[in-house]
Amino acid sequence: MLPPIALIRSSLIALLIGWTALLPVRAEPPSANPRQTWQMLDYIAVDYAGAVQGGRIVAPGEYAEMQEFAGTVRTQLAGLPATPQQPALLAQADRLMAAVADKAEPTEVATLARRLADALLASYPIGAVPASPPEPSGVAALYAQQCAACHGPSGHGDGPAAAGLDPPPIAFTDAARAAQRTPLALYEVISQGVPGTGMASFAGLSEADRWALAFYVGSLAYSPQARADGEALWRQNADVHGRIPTLEALTRTREADLAATLPAEQAHAIVAYLRSRPQAVNEAVAGAGPLALARQRLADSQRAYAAGDTAHATTLALSAYLDGVEPIEPTLATRNAALLREIETAMARYRTQLGRHTAPADIAVQATQINALFDRAEAVLRDSHTDTTTAFLGSFTILVREGLEALLIVIGMIAFLRKAERREVLPYVHAGWAGALLAGAATWAVATYLVDISGANREVTEGVSALFAAAVLLSVGIWMHQKSLAGRWQQYLHAKLSAALTRRSAIFLFVLAFVAVYREVFETILFYIAMWSEQASGAILAGLAAGSVVLAAVAYWMLRVSKRLPIGRFFSISSILIAVLAVILVGKGVAALQEAGWVPQALVHAPRIEWLGLYPSWQSLLAQVSVAIAAVIGFVINTRSAPVPARASKP
């Protein structure tokens, strides 16, 4: 059996290595820029038609540029960080290069380029989304100052500086070209410029101004009448909202793509209106049901799967749950917890079917079942008769449920240090849990006022911290069990106490207290933010106060009981309790990483009991069984290696 410090050190090293392996790679070599790669693909899709017609080169300079861009795309894709999708992207790039070399028809090249661009975004998200709806009408003066000299006062490409530029500036009023461009493409050009042309980068402008300019120039090809017609269509036809459900979707919507599912004149009018007033998308989402985003992402996932893009379909399915369902989870849990469990299980089964390449017809059946559950959930959420009661119970339950796990760990450490008469180390433990509370307050401020913490980031934080705490608790539990046997605790106290609780161990206790508490505080704060409302604020605060009283009473009782227990029995009981907590936390950690899409999920017929960390998937159950077996093996080894107490001799 390893000594305590060695055991702790080995556990921490293993956990840090595992944690580091889980973290996504963010750094990229300077030559590997997915944003520039995507921009070149967009240019190929739009400009190739001006270089080749009917298998003949009609503009040699343009054609040479298309060949150069296609080759550069292939090179840059090879230089991006490795992902499972990278080989498929490279194969698509090879097909694009071959099509350009063979002077294929513009429609074929455009299709290849756009498919590759979409797949690139799915594998290497560039994160270019407006923080808030742009205001195109507010940047007319900025356009006149920065852009009109080349592109002309009205966007015809006839500014005073245009004559000296080769290639000439783009005419934003070109309707055919505008139908092929997206606001995202225009934003990237404004942000990065176009090498080899007169288009410089305007990265010095604020992000809000660049987005507003992108929408402004993207609207110059549309008439006031088209905008008015589009406004009427948008207000009268709610089905259209499903095709452009979010501001992010609007930034990536081409008129030509929208015309594939709508009459061309309607697609033209709707794009004209939304590019002049993008905030209309957010207004439509706000007026829809609470699960509108979840429904739309689920529908998008079905379409992506039917088109053969399983990876993108899985990403959209995860977003449907994390960004569409989780925000209403606290409220729904207090009103109908069983329904919430049904939704979570059904959506997990849907993701599993995607991974198994199930027939699209079966995928559609599962999606229909999920939408039926969404209908039931929206009916429950519309019932406001029990708002005060459910708000109180939800607030109380969330705090007690999340607080008990952290409380058991922290009180266990405090009781142990008191039993071991090492009160000088207690400040490290207190600093750990107090620091976690302060960090939680900072998280609340960030999540409320600065950024929107996505569901995926939340699940990753919870999952990694749960696995960290589980591994540490398992090692500590086995160690405490060893000290509870046959007087070993006495030997430990008399011979090894001073060496075991060094400053390094004290810092370790600080880290454990911080991680254990912050994990629960993080989840609790996000739950409270999601369920907060002015109407029910009094009930929520009352539930928070009542839960705090209950946790304080439990902490007081645990400390009193621990004082009365003999130290050997205390170590024995604590070791079992800590091992059980490790089993619970590892189940929760794996489940959280599954919901974030970091760990695969294979469903099994088993109950879902969250307070036990029990989830119906092979991965989480096997992880729990593995931790339980490791604890049992450790306890058995401790028992067999314990010295046999000396028997008193007979007179």
Side-chain angles (χ1 to χ4, degrees), residues 184-360:
L184 174 60
L186 295 167
Y187 170 81
E188 289 296 329
V189 171
I190 294 169
S191 300
Q192 301 189 63
V194 181
T197 73
M199 181 62 195
S201 167
F202 287 85
L205 298 176
S206 70
E207 183 177 353
D209 281 345
R210 281 178 277 145
W211 274 116
L213 276 174
F215 275 87
Y216 178 80
V217 300
S219 68
L220 293 177
Y222 301 93
S223 67
Q225 183 60 51
R227 297 189 189 106
D229 293 343
E231 181 176 6
L233 287 168
W234 183 257
R235 295 184 183 280
Q236 296 168 6
N237 188 356
D239 291 340
V240 176
H241 301 170
R243 293 174 170 82
I244 310 176
T246 64
L247 186 60
E248 179 181 4
L250 177 60
T251 66
R252 301 181 183 186
T253 296
R254 302 177 183 88
E255 179 190 326
D257 293 339
L258 198 59
T261 57
L262 290 173
E265 63 275 9
Q266 291 188 14
H268 180 84
I270 289 169
V271 169
Y273 171 60
L274 293 181
R275 288 195 182 177
S276 64
R277 198 173 185 277
Q279 57 266 39
V281 173
N282 279 12
E283 292 169 359
V285 172
L291 291 167
L293 179 59
R295 292 179 188 275
Q296 185 54 47
R297 294 289 164 83
L298 186 64
D300 291 342
S301 174
Q302 284 183 264
R303 285 193 287 269
Y305 187 75
D309 193 347
T310 303
H312 191 42
T314 302
T315 300
L316 289 166
L318 283 169
S319 177
Y321 174 73
L322 294 171
D323 302 316
V325 175
E326 278 213 341
I328 55 93
E329 183 177 299
T331 304
L332 185 57
T334 59
R335 299 186 181 187
N336 193 331
L339 176 58
L340 176 60
R341 299 288 84 81
E342 285 187 65
I343 292 174
E344 291 175 339
T345 301
M347 298 190 77
R349 185 175 293 113
Y350 176 85
R351 296 194 298 270
T352 301
Q353 288 178 331
L354 293 178
R356 292 177 177 174
H357 301 286
T358 305

Side-chain angles (χ1 to χ4, degrees), residues 56-112:
R56 294 187 306 106
I57 299 173
V58 296
E62 286 283 338
Y63 180 69
E65 187 178 55
M66 295 298 101
Q67 288 182 302
E68 177 189 355
F69 279 6
T72 304
V73 164
R74 176 61 169 77
T75 301
Q76 291 198 354
L77 286 175
L80 291 172
T83 67
Q85 294 78 30
Q86 190 180 41
L89 295 177
L90 292 173
Q92 287 182 265
D94 289 336
R95 289 194 291 272
L96 177 62
M97 289 179 62
V100 172
D102 292 343
K103 307 177 189 63
E105 287 300 310
T107 54
E108 178 185 348
V109 171
T111 299
L112 290 172

Side-chain angles (χ1 to χ4, degrees), residues 5 420-422 424-425 491-505:
I5 292 301
E421 299 181 358
R422 294 307 303 265
E424 73 276 10
V425 188
Q491 179 186 6
Y492 168 74
L493 287 178
H494 288 94
K496 297 183 178 180
L497 185 59
S498 60
L501 289 177
T502 60
R503 180 176 179 84
R504 183 177 299 178
S505 295

Side-chain angles (χ1 to χ4, degrees), residues 20-35:
T20 303
L22 285 172
L23 293 177
V25 178
R26 296 185 181 275
E28 297 170 358
S31 60
N33 184 349
R35 300 183 71 154

Side-chain angles (χ1 to χ4, degrees), residues 28 72 89 98-99 163 175 230 246 249 268 294 302 336 376 378 383 414 418 429 441 517 529 555 579 630 645:
E28 297 170 358
T72 304
L89 295 177
T246 64
H268 180 84
Q302 284 183 264
N336 193 331
R376 290 172 55 195
E378 289 183 333
D383 180 10
I414 293 173
R418 287 181 174 177
V429 177
V517 174
I529 290 174

